[in-house]
Amino acid sequence: MRIAFVTETWLPSTDGIVTRLLATVSELRERGHDVLVIAPADGPAEFPGPAVETVPTVGAKFLYGGKRWGLPLPRVARFLRAFEPDVVHLVNPAFLGVAGLIAAHRQGRPVVASYHTDIARYARHYRLGGAVPLIWTVLRSLHRRAELNLATSDAAITELTAHGIPGVRLWPRGVDLVRFRPAPARRTTGRPIALYVGRLAAEKGLHRLASLAEPAGGFRLVLAGTGPARAHLERTLPPDTVFTGLLHGEDLAEAYRAADLFVFPSTTDTLGLVLLEALASGLPVLAAESPAARSTLAGTTAARFFPVDEPVDLPACARALLAGDHRAEARRHAAQSGWDTATDGLLDLYAETLASQRSKPLPYQSSPVRTPGKVK
């Protein structure tokens, strides 16, 4: 099968979307599928394997912390026509996704769109709350024109359905169970390490972790990642908070293995793949109460939740969680979500979309479309 991903986010950015896309692309290519990635040109990036075509970007400080967005230029249609994909997958469509959608329809190619980021909720954190109705109008317009819509958690499916997007299916979650694995034994001396991995941004609720790093809290807080809120957090969090910057590959895996506890204060994520990475590394998880965290952590005793709308003794919650040995249970829960299983599910969904598309006329077709190969 030939699969074209049109994504709003790509390397060198590091977030859950990129993590999922990199793992999926690798799995697909290992199975013999041909992959094209159309993405914003956001700086130098090296990733061996798929063909990557880029478009220029534009950004503004007031829009999602200055993130660069790919321009929806006509060249997207040219990229798709040259590659001749069997399916076009729009990843978190917003700006570049518009060009992908229009081009795919005009060329008669089936479209799958996946929802990863609650853009409307993020807008409120950047003082753009008045734009929320318009954001959902645009998202509905994009997703209703796809043959198949995917979400990364049951909570996200519920949200999309509530906003008038019907028939949303689950794109199963996944984690690299080889890279992320438990340390032979907990080896921390002195204060236990509470680790956060992810974007340093207002919508992530990192201020909620301050009490852990206070002298009375008793934890060493380590924040792995970067983002527009880093300078503010360096000024406002306790002075011995550790900021590692971006970590990749084995450096990131080692950060998990060196920690005692994983903390997840966000209530805006639609899934939180870092939760699975932490569990795969044998870490117990202390997470803010949210539908997405509940969905990802359902069925494991290696996690506890804290409310964000009322005072809570976070250090006491963390110490209670560390009182037990949760490594085996954490790993067991994560082991149900390997990327091979997630990719199996995605390929099944592609196959359903192609089978449905074959039975329909192609009213927008303007160029020949290849006969899809067998799904492997």
Side-chain angles (χ1 to χ4, degrees):
M1 183 185 296
R2 298 175 69 82
I3 304 154
F5 291 99
V6 181
T7 177
E8 308 288 341
T9 306
W10 183 243
L11 295 170
S13 296
T14 301
D15 57 20
I17 300 172
V18 175
T19 297
R20 177 184 285 264
L21 192 50
L22 291 176
T24 301
V25 167
S26 293
E27 284 282 338
L28 290 170
R29 295 189 73 253
E30 286 180 6
R31 301 172 190 220
H33 300 283
D34 294 316
V35 176
L36 169 69
V37 176
I38 301 174
D42 198 19
E46 294 183 3
F47 182 69
V52 179
E53 299 284 3
T54 60
V55 299
T57 63
V58 65
K61 288 185 178 180
F62 68 86
L63 186 60
Y64 196 37
K67 172 181 166 56
R68 307 290 298 181
W69 300 88
L71 293 172
L73 299 175
R75 69 182 66 177
V76 173
R78 186 170 71 249
F79 295 152
L80 291 178
R81 186 173 291 109
F83 183 68
E84 294 188 338
D86 300 317
V87 62
V88 177
H89 185 154
L90 310 180
V91 180
N92 215 38
F95 297 100
L96 190 54
V98 171
L101 179 68
I102 293 172
H105 276 189
R106 287 178 175 174
Q107 296 174 26
R109 308 185 192 281
V111 173
V112 173
S114 53
Y115 174 81
H116 301 256
T117 303
D118 190 343
I119 299 174
R121 186 172 298 174
Y122 281 13
R124 296 187 178 96
H125 289 272
Y126 292 95
R127 301 178 182 179
L128 296 171
V132 169
L134 175 61
I135 290 171
W136 274 114
T137 297
V138 172
L139 290 177
R140 275 192 296 270
S141 179
L142 286 167
H143 283 277
R144 284 176 175 175
R145 285 168 170 77
E147 278 69 40
L148 174 66
N149 285 294
L150 306 177
T152 58
S153 68
D154 292 332
I157 291 175
T158 299
E159 182 174 30
L160 288 177
T161 302
H163 282 280
I165 300 171
V168 185
R169 305 284 293 278
L170 180 67
W171 181 358
R173 63 198 186 193
V175 65
D176 186 338
L177 295 168
V178 176
R179 170 164 288 166
F180 300 106
R181 60 191 186 278
R186 295 265 69 87
R187 59 178 183 269
T188 300
T189 58
R191 290 183 300 165
I193 295 174
L195 173 69
Y196 165 84
V197 175
R199 180 174 163 86
L200 307 185
E203 70 272 9
K204 298 299 185 180
L206 293 165
H207 63 281
R208 297 172 182 138
L209 303 178
S211 62
L212 289 172
E214 296 286 355
F219 284 82
R220 186 183 185 196
L221 180 60
V222 176
L223 306 182
T226 190
R230 175 166 177 166
H232 174 74
L233 292 169
E234 288 177 332
R235 293 193 304 268
T236 56
L237 288 177
D240 59 350
T241 300
V242 177
F243 294 82
T244 70
L246 284 176
L247 297 177
H248 302 277
E250 284 304 314
D251 290 336
L252 177 59
E254 182 57 32
Y256 282 113
R257 287 193 287 270
D260 298 278
L261 171 75
F262 189 75
V263 286
F264 190 75
S266 173
T267 59
T268 59
D269 285 65
T270 59
L271 174 62
L273 287 178
V274 290
L275 295 170
L276 292 176
E277 292 176 354
L279 291 171
S281 303
L283 293 181
V285 173
L286 180 61
E289 181 73 54
S290 74
R294 280 283 182 187
S295 176
T296 302
L297 299 170
T300 180
T301 58
R304 289 198 178 192
F305 300 91
F306 65 91
V308 297
D309 54 357
E310 60 186 66
V312 61
D313 188 343
L314 204 60
C317 294
R319 287 191 291 270
L321 188 56
L322 288 182
D325 185 356
H326 297 285
R327 290 199 303 158
E329 164 58 22
R331 178 70 181 184
R332 179 204 65 79
H333 186 77
Q336 303 173 59
S337 302
W339 281 119
D340 55 346
T341 302
T343 305
D344 286 342
L346 181 62
L347 285 170
D348 288 344
L349 291 166
Y350 286 162
E352 288 183 29
T353 303
L354 290 173
S356 175
Q357 184 73 1
R358 290 191 193 103
S359 65
K360 297 179 181 179
L362 302 176
Y364 300 100
Q365 184 169 334
S366 61
S367 65
V369 180
R370 301 171 56 259
T371 300
K374 182 179 180 181
V375 177
K376 298 182 181 180

